[in-house]
């Protein structure tokens, strides 16, 4: 046992660790050897910038729809993202493990998800005719693991994570790594005694996610989201706002920071006084062939805000009618939540005719068969003297007073918020922007532990279900999102923290002995310091070398040219316009400073 003040060899051990880790990374590469087949042309298959650059810079190659090989440069960056994730997960006390990709169908039958998960699940059959899933997610597998080993409150809480390929037979794999069928995910699962414990695990993960994305150079904002089919209560998605390729719309308030997926977003709403209109009834008018909201509004010279839009949906197995103001859209997720079904689907025209007695475009909530539930958005109830379909061909009602004419309806918030709606927290106008979901944290509660009988004994010896959370990061999607946010016309601009290499040394003329020797020396010295460096040793024109360096996005470029005679080299950061001449003696310090600050 060491005594206080006695020297230990701890520092030495520590240094040794660091060296071996650096060696694992491989600090150096000669451009002539690097397997990075760059392309000059934009590949026709790639619609969006990140996909184009992933292919052009030689980071990935496609083997089938939504399935990719990571080439050395792409894989280095992917591994750096994984390392950041590992560091931040480990810091929280989460433990890394590796669950199997191939999962027996029986586990999924226990939760009912073998069928509920739907066509996205990739299935395989073994030689005995037994079915397996290629893991799209791992709640069942990890719950099965802990139910046999965790039995006391003393073993809780526990959080475990893995980084692994996931398989989802996406209906539309697209956008390169943004929506693949095989993709890399970090998934973590927390097990707590109770909901207070879950709140704490959730908060810890949420904060770790903020650090992870910031370290990767991404501004990913946590937004409130719908808990959907997976079940559970609170959930946040981490969204990178991206006008060109965002697949989900986010409503956000720049005044107070409120942010929510539009599926979930609400706006401030103060109902007006309830209008009592005793007398009268709406009048039927002819609206020949006027089906759409704008056609009817133009024809009757009424603003669209005074029209009432009625849509027939199938919810579960029954038809329902959803009613919103003419200028609003139905939020199908809110509608499904209100009806307590997994999802709703627009009915086809034959169902619409059966339900309303009229073709599409002329339906409305007045005089519908009683058994059809009608859900009316709360803002429709504020209208006076409005217009809606009359449930008969080429006819609408005018003079509609919702409080008088819609007696049997359910009133709820079922509309999509739009830009400019008042924020539910502070009333400032909301903005709506498309975003890329790079991660999601989820309070599952006891959904899986109850279905799979995963319990523990509490302090009084009573059996309780484990309280769970799950936390995902799309690792390969994060890589693509970084490129979406960090590029210019010439190529990728990697943040130093995840760049495949930190520096590229470019001798202008490889045949010039002094340039070559200096470049080799710089290359050698930087390797010794653990700086990851590429030496462009090709006998190519400088223009070609510069183009490649820009395309693959190496953050620091050192050009060894004629001024080496005066003891100077050119130093340029990928994101800056101008290069500067730097004394050879100072250049490595300058590089080290940048690399170490980024780590
Ligand atoms: P999406 O709504 O985009 O289909 P999801 O909500 O189904 O994603 P999760 O189950 O929450 O996805 O998975 C965790 C993370 O994995 C997501 O936040 C996302 O970053 C990533 N991810 C999901 N599907 C894909 C995919 N097909 N390709 C690449 N990454 C994906
Ligand atoms: Mg998600």
């Amino acid at each position: 046992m060491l005594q206080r003040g006695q020297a230990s060899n701890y520092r030495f051990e520590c240094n040794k660790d660091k060296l071996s880790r650096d060696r694992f990374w491989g600090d150096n590469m000669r451009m002539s050897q690097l397997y990075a087949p760059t392309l000059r042309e934009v590949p026709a298959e790639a619609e969006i910038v990140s996909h184009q650059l992933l292919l052009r810079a030689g980071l990935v190659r496609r083997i089938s729809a939504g399935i990719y090989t990571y080439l050395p440069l792409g894989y280095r960056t992917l591994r750096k993202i994984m390392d950041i994730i590992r560091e931040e997960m480990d810091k929280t006390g989460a433990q890394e493990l590796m669950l199997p990709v191939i999962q027996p169908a029986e586990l999924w039958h226990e939760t009912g998800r073998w069928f509920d998960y739907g066509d996205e699940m990739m299935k395989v059959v073994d030689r005995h005719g037994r079915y397996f899933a290629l893991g799209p997610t791992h709640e069942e597998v990890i719950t099965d693991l802990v139910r046999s080993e965790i039995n006391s409150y003393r073993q809780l809480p526990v959080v475990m994570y893995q980084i692994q390929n996931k398989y989802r037979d996406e209906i539309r794999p697209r956008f390169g790594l943004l929506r693949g069928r095989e993709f890399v995910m970090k998934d973590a699962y927390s097990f707590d005694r109770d909901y207070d414990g879950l709140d704490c695990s959730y908060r810890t993960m949420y904060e770790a996610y903020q650090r992870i994305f910031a370290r990767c150079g991404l501004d990913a904002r946590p937004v409130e989201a719908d808990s959907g089919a997976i079940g559970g209560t609170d959930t946040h998605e981490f969204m990178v706002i991206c006008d060109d390729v965002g697949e989900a719309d986010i409503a956000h308030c720049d005044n107070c920071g409120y942010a929510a997926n539009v599926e979930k977003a609400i706006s401030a709403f103060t109902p007006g006084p309830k209008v009592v209109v005793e007398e009268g009834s709406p009048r039927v008018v002819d609206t020949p062939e006027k089906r759409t909201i704008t056609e009817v509004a133009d024809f009757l010279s009424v603003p669209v805000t005074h029209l009432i839009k009625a849509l027939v949906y199938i919810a579960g197995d029954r038809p329902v009618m959803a009613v919103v103001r003419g200028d609003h859209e139905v939020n199908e997720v809110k509608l499904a939540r209100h009806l307590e079904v997994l999802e709703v689907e627009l009915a086809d025209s034959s169902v619409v005719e059966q339900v309303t007695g009229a073709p599409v475009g002329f339906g409305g909530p007045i005089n519908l068969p009683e058994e059809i539930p009608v859900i009316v958005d709360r803002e429709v109830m504020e209208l006076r003297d409005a217009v809606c379909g009359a449930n008969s061909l080429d006819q609408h009602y005018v003079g509609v007073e919702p409080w008088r004419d819609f007696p049997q309806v359910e009133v709820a918030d079922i509309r999509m918020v739009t830009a400019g709606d008042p924020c539910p927290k502070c009333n400032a106008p909301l903005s709506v922007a498309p975003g890329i979901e790079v991660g999601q944290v989820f309070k599952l509660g006891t959904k899986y532990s109850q279905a799979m009988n995963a319990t523990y004994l509490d302090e009084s010896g009573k059996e309780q279900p484990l309280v769970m959370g799950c936390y995902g990061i799309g690792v390969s999607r994060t890589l693509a999102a970084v490129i979406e946010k960090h590029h210019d016309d010439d190529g990728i601009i990697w943040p130093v923290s995840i760049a495949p290499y930190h520096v590229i040394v470019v001798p202008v003329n490889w045949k010039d002995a002094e340039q070559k020797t200096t470049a080799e020396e710089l290359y050698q010295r930087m390797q010794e310091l653990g700086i990851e460096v590429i030496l462009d040793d090709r006998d190519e024109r400088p223009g070609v070398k510069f183009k490649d360096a820009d395309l693959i996005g190496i953050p620091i470029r050192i050009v060894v040219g004629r001024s080496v005679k005066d003891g100077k080299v050119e130093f340029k950061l990928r994101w800056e316009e101008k290069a500067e001449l730097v004394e050879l003696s100072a250049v490595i310090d300058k590089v080290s400073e940048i690399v170490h600050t980024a780590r």
Side-chain angles (χ1 to χ4, degrees):
M1 189 81 149
L2 281 175
Q3 299 300 313
R4 192 182 278 260
Q6 189 180 340
S8 85
N9 61 1
Y10 179 76
R11 265 178 73 83
F12 174 69
E13 302 268 334
C14 188
N15 284 339
K16 208 166 140 206
D17 264 9
K18 184 157 185 305
L19 270 180
S20 63
R21 183 182 169 87
D22 283 346
R23 205 169 305 133
F24 164 75
W25 268 104
D27 296 335
N28 61 315
M29 179 53 62
R30 285 173 185 269
M31 199 67 167
S32 59
Q33 315 270 289
L34 179 66
Y35 192 85
T38 53
L39 309 172
R40 289 278 165 259
E41 302 297 316
V42 176
E45 68 190 87
E47 302 161 60
I48 62 162
V49 172
S50 62
H51 191 190
Q52 292 166 358
L53 287 174
L54 281 162
L55 294 169
R56 284 190 52 214
L59 305 184
V60 304
R61 285 294 179 261
R62 194 188 87 129
I63 187 168
S64 176
I67 305 181
Y68 290 86
T69 297
Y70 295 86
L71 305 187
L73 285 179
Y75 193 53
R76 276 182 82 91
T77 289
L78 193 73
R79 273 174 40 203
K80 291 201 171 184
I81 299 174
M82 292 183 196
D83 271 9
I84 290 176
I85 294 175
R86 286 200 171 96
E87 271 177 45
E88 295 297 341
M89 286 290 113
D90 293 350
K91 256 191 230 166
T92 68
Q95 302 169 61
E96 186 168 7
L97 84 176
M98 182 74 140
L99 299 164
V101 166
I102 298 186
Q103 314 181 356
E106 294 77 49
L107 282 180
W108 290 79
H109 282 303
E110 287 189 46
T111 57
R113 286 211 295 177
W114 182 254
F115 296 111
D116 286 353
Y117 203 89
D119 292 337
E120 258 182 37
M121 189 191 278
M122 297 238 192
K123 295 171 181 169
V124 291
V125 191
D126 74 4
R127 65 172 76 201
H128 308 291
R130 289 193 207 111
Y131 278 86
F132 295 82
L134 294 184
T137 177
H138 279 72
E139 285 81 10
E140 280 79 357
V141 172
I142 196 135
T143 308
D144 176 59
L145 177 81
V146 302
R147 72 176 159 185
S148 41
E149 272 125 23
I150 289 188
N151 34 47
S152 157
Y153 70 93
R154 288 194 194 86
Q155 295 163 285
L156 299 172
V158 61
V159 184
M160 290 184 278
Y161 77 95
Q162 63 168 348
I163 299 179
Q164 191 190 51
N165 283 3
K166 292 278 187 281
Y167 298 85
R168 294 185 185 177
D169 200 357
E170 298 278 355
I171 191 162
R172 245 189 318 147
R174 59 176 188 158
F175 293 167
L177 297 186
L178 283 181
R179 187 166 294 282
R181 294 198 296 167
E182 177 179 271
F183 58 96
V184 185
M185 197 203 280
K186 184 286 301 185
D187 45 329
Y189 304 88
S190 65
F191 298 89
D192 277 281
R193 300 179 197 183
D194 52 28
Y195 281 85
D196 285 346
L198 171 59
D199 287 347
C200 185
S201 300
Y202 186 84
R203 181 53 37 194
T204 304
M205 281 291 149
Y206 181 105
E207 287 167 1
Y209 275 34
Q210 290 178 309
R211 293 194 298 272
I212 289 167
F213 294 120
R215 287 182 63 185
C216 293
L218 281 180
D219 175 15
R221 23 176 120 191
V223 312
E224 292 174 18
D226 179 69
S227 52
I230 195 164
T233 49
D234 283 0
T235 176
H236 287 86
E237 291 164 342
F238 284 77
M239 289 284 191
V240 176
I241 305 266
C242 196
D243 290 335
D244 306 327
V245 300
E247 289 188 296
D249 280 335
I250 301 143
H252 59 99
C253 172
D254 291 331
N255 185 44
C256 74
Y258 169 77
N261 190 314
V262 286
E263 287 185 343
K264 163 102 177 178
I266 51 177
S267 54
F269 172 71
T270 324
K274 185 171 169 178
V275 181
V276 185
V277 188
E278 306 274 347
E279 300 288 305
S281 54
R283 284 178 298 115
V284 173
V285 294
D286 287 339
T287 48
E289 290 179 34
K290 307 295 178 226
R291 293 162 191 276
T292 67
I293 291 290
T294 29
E295 282 168 0
V296 178
D298 288 349
F299 183 73
L300 298 176
S301 302
V302 175
V304 287
T305 50
H306 275 65
L307 260 63
I308 291 172
K309 194 190 287 185
L311 297 167
V312 179
Y313 281 92
I314 301 295
D317 50 6
R318 57 178 186 160
V320 301
M321 181 177 274
V323 180
V324 292
R325 221 167 68 182
D327 57 328
H328 290 158
E329 298 298 331
V330 174
N331 181 326
E332 294 179 1
V333 172
K334 286 185 186 173
L335 181 63
R337 290 296 151 270
H338 176 80
L339 293 164
E340 295 178 356
V341 292
L342 277 183
E343 54 187 6
V344 294
E345 202 182 334
L346 261 184
D348 60 31
S349 51
S350 62
V351 176
V352 175
E353 287 213 44
Q354 262 174 31
V355 169
T356 66
V360 174
F362 300 99
I366 302 173
N367 297 333
L368 265 197
E370 254 176 34
E371 66 275 14
I372 306 292
V374 180
I375 300 88
V376 178
D377 184 66
R378 55 195 187 173
E379 286 175 55
V380 169
M381 301 309 285
E382 302 296 300
L383 295 178
R384 307 288 322 267
D385 191 15
V387 176
C388 72
N391 296 327
S392 100
L393 175 65
D394 290 346
Q395 292 192 315
H396 279 78
Y397 281 118
V398 297
V400 176
E401 298 290 341
W403 284 112
R404 178 191 67 195
D405 302 326
F406 303 170
Q408 301 286 332
V409 299
E410 299 165 40
V411 179
D413 171 12
I414 56 161
R415 79 164 176 99
M416 288 281 191
V417 299
T418 51
D421 283 342
C423 169
K425 297 217 165 123
C426 73
N427 273 309
L430 291 172
S431 311
V432 175
I436 302 172
E437 180 196 321
V438 285
Q440 185 163 18
V441 291
F442 222 110
K443 289 186 190 171
L444 292 172
T446 57
K447 179 177 156 127
Y448 292 89
S449 49
Q450 268 173 339
M452 297 182 68
N453 201 25
T455 60
Y456 72 97
L457 296 180
D458 69 13
E459 279 166 291
S460 58
K462 199 160 158 254
E463 196 172 359
Q464 303 281 4
L466 292 166
V467 181
M468 293 173 58
C470 71
Y471 316 90
I473 291 182
V475 184
S476 41
R477 186 182 281 184
T478 297
L479 168 63
V482 172
I483 300 177
E484 279 303 327
K485 298 305 280 186
H486 298 280
H487 69 266
D488 62 14
D489 290 347
D490 298 321
I492 304 169
I493 307 176
W494 288 118
V496 180
S497 58
I498 61 168
Y501 290 88
H502 303 130
V503 184
I504 184 161
V505 176
V506 186
V508 172
N509 181 358
W510 189 241
K511 294 207 176 100
D512 177 297
E514 193 177 5
Q515 290 185 22
K516 182 175 170 177
T517 319
T518 309
E520 290 276 10
E521 271 172 22
L522 281 172
Y523 176 60
Q524 192 65 38
R525 183 70 192 120
M526 283 194 267
Q527 281 173 56
E528 285 164 12
L529 292 170
I531 295 166
E532 299 163 27
V533 53
I534 300 179
L535 173 66
D536 196 340
D537 59 341
R538 296 173 301 170
D539 190 10
E540 286 278 4
R541 282 180 294 115
V544 172
K545 296 184 182 180
F546 296 161
K547 267 207 154 55
D548 279 336
D550 281 352
L551 179 60
I552 63 179
I554 306 302
I556 304 170
R557 189 182 79 186
I558 297 174
V559 177
V560 184
R562 268 192 227 130
S563 49
V564 78
K565 287 197 176 19
D566 314 322
K568 290 190 174 149
V569 287
E570 195 190 281
F571 176 97
K572 182 176 175 298
L573 295 173
R574 175 66 181 84
W575 51 90
E576 283 186 352
E577 278 292 303
K578 289 219 160 41
E580 56 174 317
L581 276 181
V582 175
E583 297 286 338
L584 251 179
S585 55
V587 75
I588 290 190
D589 274 350
K590 214 169 152 68
V591 170
S592 296
E593 171 78 28
I594 294 171
V595 171
H596 285 103
T597 329
R599 267 184 178 170

